[in-house]
Amino acid sequence: MFNLLASLIFTQANPTPDEYLRPQEVRPLPGELNNTPVFNSNSPELVLNEGILLSTFPPTDKVNPEAHLDFAFEGRFDVFAHHVAKADPPEDLRTLYVGILLHNPGKEEATVDVLPSASYLSQPDAPFIQLPTRVPNTRGNIYAGPGSRAMYDILRGRSSDLFPHQVIIPPGESRMLMNLPIPVKTLDPPINGRSTYLKLRSDLRVYAASLAKFAPVDEEGTEREPTLAEWEELLATGELSTPRDREPTPLDTTGATFIYGRVAGVSQGSKWQADLTDQNSTYLAIPNPGEALSYGISTLHRGRLGTGQIQTAPMLVRYPDTAYAAHGNYGVHYSLTLPLYNPTAETKAVTVALETPIKQDTITDGLRFFSPLPPQVFFRGTAQVQYRDDEGLPRTQAFHLVHKRGQEGSPLVTLNLAPQSQRLVTVDLLYPPDATPPQVLTVKTLD
């Protein structure tokens, strides 16, 4: 699930890393995903031709009914869309537009409130730049890739001026939620991507569709954005955009080759909120000095890290050639509270860190990491931590993290816990599209 756009930009020679074992316990994450439906448009990731990317409209009166999944949204729902445009052939520098259309099938006016929202291009908004492993990012001005930037905007509750605060849809009509370009004309290489995430609330049932269309041109050859009528025509008569991504491997397959596939459908779950405590306890006792305790983050099929837990959001509807589940949980808000407790008679230094161990389904004795690190980046995004420092003052800090595959993490916070004392730490992150699961949240007591 390594991000396609980043992989096309960064090409490096592969060192020969060695694995090493860190003996420790890994626990399943308490809690579960909520039930919020997510319009999840990520396949095909590389869009080379016009067509339907994802439609939850009814198939009635559509030229290609198999392209429409017949799922209506009402109340709270989210929209995630991540797609890449590339000049193919290289001299075809037309601008690809991605449109998201909402339709009101009812007999009364529908109001869709646009809550925190973000949409960024890779170029020029959020290029894939090389960054250190951990950079302070409380102001949100550090990012590498559009997914990295968009997720922290949403976490901070920001709303982009690209979107209206409300979309009013008359009965039986459609309106554009998004009509934005992915330009490639001035880029070398001519490739670009756009990551979008919106939190929405509708007072009535609505259908949604994401569509891809090249910019129409006027008589002088100047590009313009597609109109609502042109998008509606594409929705009614268009096919699924091709070429398609690789088909996923059925989840019950036991063979060595396994393809997760990319998501196009409606997944269920936008937030995972939990208190991380010991069993039958209200606190989490810190590990012994020199030892670590981890909880799985975004664990998935064949990547459960010995926990037996699959956190992946299930699909409510999907196309048959796309992912069976929302592997990676892109955009899911992990909000995790750790009531740390020092049961000893001595002050102990404790760290909390996000880490990216080598993916394993089962483990023996602990987690595995690489040294030296391979070149592939497996996590790009910002995590926020809230706590009281050693002077008792409330702190909110955020760090942009870049992890290579199999990389131990730098601490998000280091606390000195007095004997028999408890300290509350809360970690929040929106799982970024530019990441490859799984990760772990690790509590470690220093020697």
Side-chain angles (χ1 to χ4, degrees):
M1 278 167 283
F2 183 47
N3 180 272
L4 172 66
L5 182 57
S7 69
L8 291 171
I9 292 173
F10 293 138
T11 55
Q12 305 178 46
N14 292 330
T16 304
D18 292 323
E19 294 184 15
Y20 64 92
L21 174 69
R22 190 177 74 192
Q24 65 162 95
E25 180 185 1
V26 183
R27 296 180 181 178
L29 192 66
E32 60 185 357
L33 283 168
N34 65 11
N35 293 321
T36 301
V38 179
F39 179 91
N40 201 320
S41 180
N42 189 210
S43 181
E45 183 188 25
L46 180 60
V47 180
L48 297 179
N49 290 296
E50 296 183 339
I52 296 168
L53 303 172
L54 171 61
S55 169
T56 75
F57 279 62
T60 308
D61 299 326
K62 303 296 191 298
V63 172
N64 296 287
E66 70 282 358
H68 305 275
L69 298 177
D70 197 6
F71 185 96
F73 299 91
E74 186 173 5
R76 273 281 295 112
F77 69 102
D78 289 358
V79 167
F80 169 65
H82 173 81
H83 296 283
V84 174
K86 177 185 177 183
D88 184 34
E91 59 272 14
D92 184 0
L93 298 175
R94 291 178 296 171
T95 299
L96 182 76
Y97 272 77
V98 173
I100 296 180
L101 190 73
L102 299 179
H103 178 73
N104 173 13
K107 297 182 179 180
E108 298 179 3
E109 183 178 82
T111 300
V112 180
D113 294 320
V114 181
L115 309 175
S117 58
S119 183
Y120 290 108
L121 293 165
S122 173
Q123 304 287 342
D125 300 337
F128 287 99
I129 59 175
Q130 303 280 5
L131 288 172
T133 295
R134 185 190 67 171
V135 181
N137 193 31
T138 302
R139 296 176 60 187
N141 58 341
I142 306 296
Y143 38 80
S148 161
R149 187 174 183 182
M151 293 303 103
Y152 191 45
D153 273 12
I154 300 297
L155 181 60
R156 292 187 296 161
R158 297 189 63 186
S159 292
S160 170
D161 58 8
L162 293 172
F163 303 101
H165 296 299
Q166 274 189 343
V167 179
I168 306 298
I169 312 174
E173 296 188 19
S174 299
R175 291 293 183 267
M176 299 305 298
L177 176 65
M178 182 176 102
N179 192 1
L180 294 175
I182 309 179
V184 299
K185 189 173 297 184
T186 62
L187 304 179
D188 184 18
I191 182 170
N192 208 352
R194 180 178 288 279
S195 290
T196 300
Y197 203 96
L198 302 101
K199 293 184 174 293
L200 306 171
R201 182 185 294 111
S202 178
D203 64 344
L204 297 175
R205 295 170 69 248
V206 295
Y207 295 103
S210 61
L211 309 160
K213 186 175 180 60
F214 290 110
V217 295
D218 61 20
E219 294 179 354
E220 298 178 354
T222 302
E223 291 185 338
R224 61 168 176 81
E225 70 176 29
T227 65
L228 172 61
E230 289 168 335
W231 286 120
E232 290 178 319
E233 174 68 15
L234 177 59
L235 178 72
T237 64
E239 300 177 322
L240 289 174
S241 178
T242 58
R244 307 293 291 164
D245 285 325
R246 298 174 69 188
E247 291 197 19
T249 303
L251 298 180
D252 57 0
T253 299
T254 58
T257 301
F258 190 87
I259 300 168
Y260 287 97
R262 291 199 171 269
V263 178
V266 178
S267 55
Q268 181 175 287
S270 67
K271 188 173 185 178
W272 190 301
Q273 188 164 7
D275 295 326
L276 279 50
T277 64
D278 295 322
Q279 190 171 6
N280 300 320
S281 176
T282 58
Y283 59 78
L284 178 63
I286 61 176
N288 294 325
E291 296 183 2
L293 166 65
S294 297
Y295 289 88
I297 301 291
S298 198
T299 53
L300 71 169
H301 290 270
R302 300 200 179 197
R304 296 175 292 176
L305 297 175
T307 65
Q309 182 183 53
I310 293 172
Q311 297 174 13
T312 303
M315 300 302 296
L316 299 174
V317 291
R318 53 176 281 273
Y319 295 118
D321 65 345
T322 63
Y324 289 94
H327 309 293
N329 280 351
Y330 295 157
V332 167
H333 180 184
Y334 282 89
S335 184
L336 309 175
T337 300
L338 299 83
L340 301 177
Y341 175 65
N342 176 10
T344 74
E346 299 178 352
T347 296
K348 299 296 182 183
V350 182
T351 63
V352 178
L354 188 73
E355 306 184 288
T356 301
I358 298 170
K359 186 181 80 170
Q360 297 175 277
D361 198 39
T362 59
I363 62 174
T364 303
D365 299 327
L367 295 173
R368 293 188 172 274
F369 299 89
F370 278 130
S371 180
L373 293 170
Q376 302 97 335
V377 174
F378 267 38
F379 187 90
R380 289 185 185 87
T382 294
Q384 178 178 278
V385 60
Q386 295 176 291
Y387 61 99
R388 288 189 178 274
D389 66 17
D390 293 341
E391 282 70 48
L393 299 175
R395 300 288 187 188
T396 298
Q397 294 180 301
F399 297 93
H400 187 275
L401 307 174
V402 177
H403 291 170
K404 303 289 183 67
R405 179 182 176 218
Q407 182 169 353
E408 292 190 85
S410 300
L412 298 171
V413 60
T414 301
L415 301 174
N416 292 297
L417 288 185
Q420 308 293 316
S421 71
Q422 183 173 317
R423 198 94 60 88
L424 203 63
V425 176
T426 300
V427 178
D428 286 276
L429 66 93
L430 265 68
Y431 197 84
D434 302 325
T436 299
Q439 276 69 38
V440 293
L441 188 67
T442 299
V443 178
K444 184 176 182 179
T445 303
L446 303 182
D447 288 317

